[in-house]
Amino acid sequence: MRLLWLTYERTPHPDAICYPATDDDAEFVLALLKRPYPERIRLTEQLARYLTQQKRVAATERTAVACRTPGGLYRSVPWRLAKWLRHVLPATDSVLEDTRVHIEQWQRQTSNGLTCLSPLS
């Protein structure tokens, strides 16, 4: 299984976070990044409240948060992904576009079988 590392800032920055995203995570993130700005801000505020609650809990005991997908279903979002989304969702359009392009390029490589090269073809 391939992973796409979603990162925001670097340690020792207090908001530094790194999350290993799967294909499903990447689809979910792309769908959220395409939402209108007011919806992204609303979700950012909800994630900020969740993350404030989770600060009081040891990192190994933090729970995931239920997050509504653009399709209307709920998805369990780990706190590391929630923290990454909290910082990325309110970003400028140019930052979001760069992020979307990066994720979509990674998806194409994964779906086209470019993750493995066999010398016996």
Side-chain angles (χ1 to χ4, degrees):
M1 168 180 22
R2 272 186 43 153
L3 297 174
L4 173 64
W5 289 93
L6 301 175
T7 59
Y8 179 79
E9 294 295 346
R10 292 184 182 170
T11 56
H13 192 284
D15 290 327
I17 194 70
C18 187
Y19 178 75
T22 63
D23 285 317
D24 288 341
D25 293 329
E27 279 296 321
F28 174 67
V29 167
L30 282 175
L32 292 179
L33 294 179
K34 293 175 182 175
R35 304 307 301 165
Y37 183 75
E39 288 183 39
R40 293 194 326 263
I41 293 303
R42 183 182 48 77
L43 181 55
T44 298
E45 292 166 353
Q46 292 172 349
L47 291 172
R49 285 192 296 274
Y50 157 78
L51 291 166
T52 298
Q53 293 171 348
Q54 293 301 304
K55 278 185 181 179
R56 295 177 235 155
V57 179
T60 57
E61 297 177 13
R62 292 179 181 166
T63 60
V65 62
C67 184
R68 186 180 294 230
T69 66
L73 300 175
Y74 282 90
R75 175 191 175 103
S76 180
V77 177
W79 74 269
R80 287 184 188 274
L81 179 56
K83 186 173 180 180
W84 184 85
L85 287 167
R86 190 265 173 248
H87 291 290
V88 174
L89 288 176
T92 63
D93 288 341
S94 63
V95 171
L96 291 184
E97 182 61 25
D98 289 347
T99 304
R100 282 194 300 262
V101 167
H102 181 75
I103 293 171
E104 288 168 351
Q105 286 174 343
W106 178 80
Q107 284 180 315
R108 281 192 298 276
Q109 289 175 344
T110 300
S111 65
N112 289 333
L114 300 176
T115 60
C116 178
L117 176 64
S118 174
L120 302 174
S121 46

